[in-house]
Amino acid sequence: MIETSFIPSNLKTDSVEEGIISWRSPSNIALVKYWGKIEPQIPKNPSISFTLTNCFTKTTLKYRKKKKESSTFEFAVFFEGNRMPAFEAKIKKFMERIVAYQPFLLAYDFEIHTENSFPHSSGIASSASGMSALALCLMSLEQRIDPSIDTIQFNKKASFLARLGSGSAARSIEGPLVVWGLHEQVKGSNDLYGIQYPFKVHEVFMDYQDTVLLVDKGVKQVSSTLGHGLMENHPYSSARFDQAHAHLSQLIQVLETGDLDNFIRIVEKEALALHAMMMTSDPYFILMRPNTLEIIERIWRFRKETGSKLCFTLDAGANVHLLFPKKEKESVNRFLTEEILEFCQNKHFISDEAGSGAVKLDDVS
Ligand code: DP6
């Protein structure tokens, strides 16, 4: 599918005056990481993630037809009830990027109300859940204008729009596993939008657990967007992109058979490869903290001593995601309390698990 197929023809807004739409959209955690992109948010390699359940953004979009159509975007953003001009530049940029695909954005005044289920500045990136929730609200408005849009087209375009807000947001529409970025073995995969993982998945992965350990809630020194940019001219970039392709190929078998030893090997290698790219870029930087390493060592020791299938992954920060099968929940929780929590800020963690994607909430037309 090419980008022009997302440009609607002849959308008539006449019958849609005003209304409210709400969506709840989850965060996701990548197993094979997206790190490196070109304009407009085209990934340098394919990625795959678990869609989460408990870490989500809830967004409510209020729209009202402008008295007179103008060439400016009219909107206000509210975060947890308070007007947030600081978020508005990012949303404006997003609207500028997507207006070719949703020309009706210029026909309405909007209020965007948003809140996260996870605490503000927890170090959990809200861009995936936030951008996907907004993209879904805008798709619902498009569907009110053009009711012929079916679910398949709806999800595709929601992911396509979300991607233009934040790359990883393309993977938050459906679940429990989503692939984004062209991979020769994954049927239907492409760089424009995420697709539900199309192959057989062993039941162990359907409710895989992700406990997010909040190691450092501080503001990141280097944003993801900047980090992606440093993959340009990176000495190891082409080897890294090849590695991501190879890891996704290997995961196909692992996801089908439930081979957890190889799952652990691939997922941990991906996390460390991501951070190795950061440490070897120019300028170089380190997002892990001493406690990140302490936790990783303790996970490895725990695995060795108990035979547990607990493993870790990292995103672009110091937090550690503990990934494990649901049947290990009790023993991992004990390990968490006894050996890990002291290394988290204020002993803070969030229990999450793989889920089925975004949910539309009650709405009023
Ligand atoms: C390390 O999606 O946050 O979490 O596209 O610039 O918004 P932008 O970046 P973003 O990058 C996420 C990077 C990552 C890996 C991943 O989620 O695949």
Side-chain angles (χ1 to χ4, degrees), residues 76-298:
V77 180
F78 297 80
F79 180 66
E80 291 174 355
N82 300 313
R83 179 86 190 263
M84 278 301 232
F87 290 180
E88 286 168 10
K90 192 167 182 188
I91 304 283
K92 181 162 177 267
K93 201 168 148 215
F94 175 56
M95 290 193 172
E96 284 164 356
R97 279 189 145 179
I98 66 170
V99 69
Y101 309 102
Q102 295 198 313
F104 59 84
L105 291 181
L106 291 166
Y108 292 91
D109 285 322
F110 295 105
E111 263 185 35
I112 299 163
H113 293 260
T114 179
E115 59 193 57
N116 296 331
S117 65
F118 42 90
H120 188 51
S121 69
S122 57
I124 295 182
S126 58
S127 65
S129 54
M131 284 299 174
S132 54
L134 179 55
L136 286 157
C137 287
L138 293 172
M139 271 315 293
S140 286
L141 173 54
E142 181 169 334
Q143 199 174 38
R144 283 180 188 178
I145 298 167
D146 175 8
S148 74
I149 296 171
D150 63 19
T151 309
I152 292 174
Q153 175 66 4
F154 185 99
N155 285 343
K156 258 185 206 173
K157 188 164 174 181
S159 173
F160 171 85
L161 297 175
R163 180 200 107 233
L164 291 167
S166 177
S168 54
R171 299 189 311 241
S172 275
I173 308 298
E174 297 175 272
L177 282 160
V178 174
V179 175
W180 166 50
L182 182 65
H183 185 279
E184 61 169 17
Q185 278 163 270
V186 183
K187 205 171 60 201
S189 64
N190 72 91
D191 291 343
L192 298 182
Y193 55 88
I195 58 159
Q196 200 147 2
Y197 179 72
F199 304 125
K200 227 171 120 193
V201 178
H202 190 279
E203 60 179 6
V204 72
F205 296 116
M206 301 309 280
D207 53 5
Y208 222 65
Q209 302 294 295
D210 177 9
T211 297
V212 193
L213 306 176
L214 306 179
V215 172
D216 186 0
K217 304 185 198 169
V219 177
K220 278 189 269 183
Q221 312 119 292
V222 180
S223 73
S224 291
T225 303
L226 230 121
H228 285 289
L230 296 177
M231 288 304 280
E232 282 291 316
N233 304 319
H234 191 293
Y236 308 134
S237 60
S238 83
R240 163 60 201 151
F241 302 143
D242 290 348
Q243 180 191 45
H245 278 268
H247 280 163
L248 185 43
S249 296
Q250 292 163 29
L251 266 182
I252 294 173
Q253 175 84 352
V254 165
L255 290 173
E256 179 172 346
T257 57
D259 172 359
L260 294 182
D261 291 328
N262 275 314
F263 179 79
I264 291 169
R265 187 181 57 78
I266 296 165
V267 167
E268 292 191 345
K269 197 136 61 82
E270 272 294 312
L272 295 180
L274 169 70
H275 283 256
M277 290 302 106
M278 299 171 186
M279 289 192 257
T280 49
S281 61
D282 185 9
Y284 47 84
F285 58 104
I286 303 180
L287 295 183
M288 289 191 276
R289 306 294 304 148
N291 284 351
T292 312
L293 291 179
E294 183 66 46
I295 291 168
I296 290 174
E297 287 188 350
R298 283 171 184 246

Side-chain angles (χ1 to χ4, degrees), residues 13-14 16-18 63-72 74 104-110:
T13 58
D14 303 2
V16 181
E17 279 297 322
E18 62 180 303
Y63 58 92
R64 183 194 294 263
K65 197 74 160 289
K66 286 181 188 169
K67 296 259 177 315
K68 201 166 145 261
E69 194 158 328
S70 64
S71 57
T72 51
E74 300 299 338
F104 59 84
L105 291 181
L106 291 166
Y108 292 91
D109 285 322
F110 295 105

